[in-house]
């Protein structure tokens, strides 16, 4: 029987992201990418079926099958001939290190630019073999291009790439890159403001997410930036928001994406300069290459083994969680058959799956769960026959150390409550002290049956959540 599992991770770092502990206590890491694609774009002269149609001054351009497109080719040539050098002078002036996403065939056609990248101390990551779309490629064909890109990159630059970004990727791109074992990080994700780990087989792969919003590509897309001021304002606001989060104790990473033929134009480069001035006017800003961020994250936050309930088989899942709802393993059995995924690999995730099965059960089944709970400070507690969870919970509120008067009061309340409602009084004792439990007991015993049944079910769910948080070490 195949499991119903959802592969996408909608939780990520969760509500409390880790402190990246950026070097020097920086409040933000700013990472700037320069995409070098010129000479690697679609072109008949490169052996492609049609001309390029993406990210140029000709917004909405269409491919020209079997034909060279002189205007398009010259726009890309501008990026290599003029835009690159303008940007190199700017970043050398500011002494800000970059990561280059270099298309291997483009780098091979630009030896002077490659030499300049190395002289400036820039990281040259791989941007694939050619600047083409891989959505329709078979995995074998994409993997072959990936291998050739790594080979050619090392031949042209003198070293294999440590980072990978396809960009126009397929659903298999990250897996294929990870399975090479060649990369300190992969950037084909836009899923977070911090790096994160993905597991492929026995290997953990670091993902350093990229950006499509703080990116000059929006100068060349519909509903994008029409002027440099819009680009500057967007970068400034992105920086200010993340800087404020960092100042509040939750530092993040800001990625900025650039292209030689786009922001390298005179009418746009001043917006980039204004942004750099704005960022440099703040304390605690770490300008870093992506490889620097990857190496720091791997040291500060190495991958850690953890329970993944969504990957457990049925027996393992029930063994772990069958007792979360008191003596009711059928809830875990049913929950295991749900569409589980990475978002369920935490207390809230497992709780949601279990609670769904409890809520959708028949009234008799839920009543059975209520009746499976022990009396508070009752005979089972005295005989030390409670489950380990119930023993710890009752002890946390001091119910294992009652005076004779308190014990007599609980006994009387227990008997009256069960006689009226048909199940024991249930309350999440970890939320209360002894006095609060007694007060709730005396108040709720007067509820009508339907009201108290609903409240008891809510308390059962609350108890389950607290047990799961303890299991996962969450607060």
């Amino acid at each position: 029987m195949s499991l119903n599992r959802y592969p996408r991770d909608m939780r990520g770092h969760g509500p409390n992201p880790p402190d990246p502990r950026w070097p020097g206590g920086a409040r933000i890491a700013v990472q700037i990418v320069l995409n070098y694609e010129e000479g690697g774009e679609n072109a008949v002269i490169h052996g492609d079926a049609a001309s390029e149609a993406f990210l140029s001054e000709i917004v909405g351009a269409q491919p020209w099958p079997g034909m060279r497109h002189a205007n398009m080719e010259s726009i890309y040539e501008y990026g290599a001939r003029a835009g690159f050098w303008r940007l190199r002078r700017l970043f050398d002036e500011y002494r800000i290190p970059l990561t280059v996403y270099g298309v291997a065939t483009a780098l091979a056609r630009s030896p002077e630019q490659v030499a300049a990248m190395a002289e400036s101390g820039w990281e040259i990551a791989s941007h694939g073999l050619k600047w083409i779309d891989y959505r329709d490629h078979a995995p074998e064909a994409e993997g072959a291009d990936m291998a050739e890109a790594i080979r050619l990159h090392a031949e042209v630059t003198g070293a294999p790439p440590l980072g990978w970004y396809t960009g126009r990727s397929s659903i298999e791109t990250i897996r294929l890159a990870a399975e090479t074992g060649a990369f300190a990080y992969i950037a084909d994700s836009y899923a977070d403001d911090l790096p994160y780990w993905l597991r492929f087989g026995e290997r953990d792969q670091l993902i350093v997410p990229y950006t499509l919003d703080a990116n000059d590509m929006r100068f060349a897309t519909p509903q994008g930036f029409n002027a440099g001021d819009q680009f500057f304002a967007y970068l400034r606001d992105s920086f200010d928001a993340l800087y404020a989060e960092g100042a509040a104790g939750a530092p993040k990473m800001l990625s900025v994406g650039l292209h030689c033929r786009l922001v390298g134009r005179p009418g746009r480069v001043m917006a980039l300069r204004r942004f750099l001035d704005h960022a440099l006017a703040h304390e605690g800003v770490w300008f870093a290459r992506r490889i620097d961020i990857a190496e720091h994250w791997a040291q500060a936050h190495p991958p850690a083994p953890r329970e993944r309930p969504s990957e457990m088989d049925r027996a393992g899942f029930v063994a772990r969680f069958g007792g979360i709802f008191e003596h009711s393993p059928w809830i875990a059995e049913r929950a295991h058959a749900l569409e589980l995924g990475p978002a369920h690999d935490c207390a809230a995730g497992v709780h949601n799956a279990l609670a769904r099965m409890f809520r959708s059960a028949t009234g008799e089944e839920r009543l059975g769960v209520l009746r499976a709970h022990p009396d508070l400070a009752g005979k089972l507690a005295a005989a030390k026959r409670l489950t380990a969870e119930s023993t710890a919970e009752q002890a946390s509120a001091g119910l294992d150390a009652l005076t004779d008067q308190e014990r007599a009061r609980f006994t009387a309340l227990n008997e009256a409550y069960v006689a009226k409602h048909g199940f024991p009084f249930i309350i999440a004792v970890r939320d209360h002290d002894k006095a609060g439990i007694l007060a709730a007991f005396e108040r709720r015993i007067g509820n009508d049956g339907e009201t108290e049944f609903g409240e008891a079910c809510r308390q059962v769910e609350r108890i389950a959540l607290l047990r799961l948080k303890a299991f996962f070490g969450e607060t």
Side-chain angles (χ1 to χ4, degrees), residues 3 5 7 9 11-12 196-205 302-314 316-317 320-321 336 340-347 349-350 471-472:
L3 296 181
R5 295 297 178 256
D9 185 352
R11 179 174 186 259
Y196 59 92
W197 297 94
L198 288 180
R199 192 162 183 82
F200 294 90
E202 297 302 313
R203 185 172 187 276
D204 291 291
Q205 175 64 60
R306 60 187 178 89
E307 294 268 24
R308 289 182 169 85
S310 67
E311 297 179 6
M312 293 178 178
D313 61 22
R314 186 173 184 268
F317 188 88
R320 282 282 195 275
F321 305 115
H336 186 262
L340 304 182
H344 294 91
D345 294 340
C346 59
V350 174
F471 175 84
F472 283 97

